[in-house]
Amino acid sequence: MYTETAMLRLGAPLRASERAYRQLRGEILNGLLAPGAALLEVEQAERIGVSRTPLREAVARLIADGLVVGRRGRGFEVTDISVDSISELYELRQALEVQAIRLAATRREPAPFQELRDAFVTAPDLLEQGDIGVHRYYVLIDELEDAIDAAVENPFLVGALRAVRTHLARIRRLARSNPRRLRAAAAEHLLIIDAIIAGDPSLAAHATHIHLHQSLLSVLAAIEEDSER
Amino acid sequence: MYTETAMLRLGAPLRASERAYRQLRGEILNGLLAPGAALLEVEQAERIGVSRTPLREAVARLIADGLVVGRRGRGFEVTDISVDSISELYELRQALEVQAIRLAATRREPAPFQELRDAFVTAPDLLEQGDIGVHRYYVLIDELEDAIDAAVENPFLVGALRAVRTHLARIRRLARSNPRRLRAAAAEHLLIIDAIIAGDPSLAAHATHIHLHQSLLSVLAAIEEDSER
DNA sequence: ATTGCGGTTTCTGTATACACAAAAGTGATC
DNA sequence: GATCACTTTTGTGTATACAGAAACCGCAAT
């Protein structure tokens, strides 16, 4: 029956290892599995509902992602995020994003960025609308990142960026940005987009450098603030 | 992205998955397993002398390293190296090495670089001595890279650099550099080292940029030459 | 009270068996 | 001779069983 094969392809019974990977990754990124949390194979395998073999494969991928480390004797644990590691991550991020933006401004196809420009112009309004607006703003940023990735056309660079963004997702969680910072960030993004549209790699690179500098300062300040309470 | 440093005690027999990983990785890097070569689980497991489970783990790590890709229908194959991918890799490498050198020049502890400087001054002599000298020269470069990694003190950045160097090892194999290029490269390295010792991040960064530009040109020329024969 | 030791338990590392899907081979029919 | 259905083979995905090692716990000795 053709419906059967179709269902097998589309209805997508994901492989168990893939399911385990996505679930664990998601739980780590949204903080459900906190830094330092122990991952025991049998325990996690039962919880997720797969056997140990696919679970091990999932954990191996998480280790490669840098989200999990094997610990000496027993099991694995979720990597923790220190203030130092945030600064270090941003040193890598600076290098990658500046290069990516530079390439995007060089090879740009302006159309998608024109659309994004329009969206970012109205971003400050969005940020007046509370949590829903903030969420929409983050979606916008995702779209910008996707557009940049597409414009860069470099699997190596995009891959490295993806890895960095994985860690950033965790950092954002523990240092929620304030509205003022988000408005400033929107303006910075707008400048970057304009530089890409204008085909000015140097301007785009400098604007990105500044943006990331401010972003790091804001993150560190937010964490400082949190830890004082 | 750095791979698990493995919890192996000295003297302890290596885990089967680790053995499989190292052997396959080595064979891919030195060209024994050529780009495009198929990796069948059962076949490779028998050859290496481990069962399928650890072999799968090894392959998963190779995929994370970007040395192997899962292919359409069946099995896995060694990733191939196109001219395009070399240029792309160098775009990433530029970003990482420039940032690394910049940081090394900022945080430098001059001592190890002083020693390396002395060694690089005599590098041209080394290159007169045929293959043995060339090999020694490559060892010198490894030491320079190690010194930079240590000076950078950034696991994220160093991890990304390691990944890039993995791919570079394969590229070097298929584009052996000529002695003239190596002599020029030695001079370029000397300039970079001097900039680090002088604590001049900007000079070091620019010198690195130039060096990588020349390096890419040389690699592409060598490949062009080879393919014409 | 603390520390050293041995048994117990738990967990990982590895092998293997089974199930299911895809490709290749085979034969029959037109 | 070509094409299509069916069988066989091959290979992956998953579960599970087994072995060895590390942590835990209680007991005893100082």
Side-chain angles (χ1 to χ4, degrees):
Chain A
M1 264 201 196
Y2 83 96
T3 50
E4 208 172 302
T5 48
M7 278 178 67
L8 282 174
R9 305 233 162 136
L10 298 175
L14 276 160
R15 287 175 316 191
S17 64
E18 186 68 25
R19 260 189 302 138
Y21 173 70
R22 293 193 190 178
Q23 178 167 346
L24 287 175
R25 189 174 195 279
E27 289 177 356
I28 291 172
L29 291 187
N30 73 24
L32 224 145
L33 283 170
L39 294 180
L40 289 310
E41 282 186 12
V42 275
E43 177 186 307
Q44 297 297 318
E46 273 181 29
R47 189 172 66 87
I48 297 177
V50 300
S51 86
R52 282 181 53 220
T53 309
L55 185 106
R56 278 172 73 76
E57 198 173 313
V59 170
R61 287 173 67 185
L62 293 171
I63 290 176
D65 290 346
L67 293 174
V68 165
V69 286
R71 53 181 184 186
R72 200 163 51 90
R74 215 162 176 98
F76 307 91
E77 68 177 47
V78 180
T79 52
D80 69 331
I81 308 176
S82 67
V83 172
D84 280 359
S85 77
I86 294 176
S87 298
E88 289 167 0
L89 184 67
Y90 265 77
E91 285 176 355
L92 173 57
R93 190 183 176 195
Q94 274 280 5
L96 297 176
E97 298 246 29
V98 167
Q99 177 76 313
I101 294 286
R102 200 184 282 281
L103 294 173
T106 307
R107 303 176 185 161
R108 90 217 186 276
E109 180 148 353
F113 291 101
Q114 281 288 3
E115 277 181 42
L116 280 165
R117 202 202 111 86
D118 296 343
F120 267 95
V121 168
T122 65
D125 304 342
L126 219 57
L127 291 171
E128 304 292 332
Q129 300 169 20
D131 278 0
I132 306 166
V134 170
H135 180 259
R136 287 237 227 115
Y137 174 73
Y138 278 119
V139 172
L140 218 55
I141 290 192
D142 281 348
E143 286 172 13
L144 175 58
E145 287 178 346
D146 288 346
I148 292 168
D149 288 356
V152 166
E153 276 185 317
N154 182 331
F156 291 106
L157 185 51
V158 170
L161 266 174
R162 275 206 193 331
V164 168
R165 290 192 195 126
T166 296
H167 292 282
L168 279 177
R170 297 179 73 197
I171 291 175
R172 278 206 201 96
R173 264 198 57 74
L174 59 87
R176 201 170 282 293
S177 314
N178 60 45
R180 193 181 320 139
R181 170 59 199 148
L182 289 181
R183 259 192 299 281
E188 292 162 15
H189 280 131
L190 200 56
L191 180 55
I192 294 171
I193 293 171
D194 280 336
I196 293 176
I197 294 174
D200 188 335
S202 180
L203 178 61
H206 291 307
T208 301
H209 190 104
I210 301 291
H211 168 59
L212 294 179
H213 174 78
Q214 304 288 22
S215 167
L216 175 58
L217 285 185
S218 148
V219 167
L220 292 181
I223 289 178
E224 183 78 11
E225 210 172 285
D226 275 15
S227 67
E228 272 171 11
R229 260 180 288 165
Chain B
M1 206 178 315
Y2 40 106
T3 47
E4 179 185 14
T5 15
M7 30 187 177
L8 43 92
R9 301 167 319 167
L10 278 80
L14 251 52
R15 290 178 321 209
S17 64
E18 186 69 24
R19 260 189 301 137
Y21 173 70
R22 293 195 190 178
Q23 179 167 345
L24 287 174
R25 189 173 194 278
E27 289 177 356
I28 291 172
L29 291 187
N30 74 22
L32 223 146
L33 284 171
L39 294 181
L40 289 310
E41 283 186 14
V42 276
E43 177 186 307
Q44 297 298 318
E46 273 181 29
R47 188 172 66 87
I48 296 176
V50 301
S51 86
R52 281 182 55 217
T53 310
L55 185 107
R56 279 174 72 81
E57 197 174 313
V59 170
R61 286 173 69 185
L62 293 170
I63 291 176
D65 291 347
L67 293 175
V68 165
V69 286
R71 59 178 178 187
R72 209 162 30 101
R74 214 165 180 90
F76 307 91
E77 69 178 46
V78 180
T79 52
D80 70 330
I81 308 176
S82 67
V83 172
D84 280 358
S85 77
I86 294 176
S87 298
E88 289 167 359
L89 184 68
Y90 265 76
E91 285 175 355
L92 173 58
R93 191 184 176 196
Q94 276 279 5
L96 297 176
E97 298 246 29
V98 166
Q99 177 76 312
I101 294 286
R102 199 183 282 279
L103 294 173
T106 307
R107 304 177 183 160
R108 89 220 187 274
E109 180 147 352
F113 292 100
Q114 281 288 3
E115 276 182 41
L116 280 164
R117 202 203 112 88
D118 296 343
F120 267 94
V121 167
T122 65
D125 303 343
L126 220 57
L127 292 171
E128 305 290 333
Q129 298 170 19
D131 279 359
I132 306 167
V134 171
H135 180 260
R136 286 238 228 115
Y137 174 73
Y138 277 119
V139 171
L140 218 55
I141 289 192
D142 281 348
E143 286 173 13
L144 175 57
E145 287 178 347
D146 288 345
I148 291 168
D149 289 355
V152 166
E153 278 185 317
N154 182 331
F156 291 106
L157 184 51
V158 170
L161 266 174
R162 276 206 189 334
V164 168
R165 291 191 194 126
T166 296
H167 293 282
L168 278 177
R170 297 179 72 198
I171 291 174
R172 278 208 199 93
R173 265 197 56 74
L174 58 87
R176 202 169 280 294
S177 316
N178 61 45
R180 192 182 319 139
R181 169 60 198 147
L182 289 181
R183 259 193 298 281
E188 292 161 15
H189 280 131
L190 200 55
L191 180 55
I192 294 171
I193 293 172
D194 280 337
I196 293 176
I197 293 174
D200 188 335
S202 180
L203 178 61
H206 290 306
T208 301
H209 190 105
I210 301 291
H211 168 59
L212 293 180
H213 174 79
Q214 304 288 23
S215 168
L216 175 59
L217 286 185
S218 147
V219 167
L220 292 181
I223 289 178
E224 183 79 10
E225 212 173 282
D226 274 16
S227 66
E228 273 171 11
R229 259 179 288 165

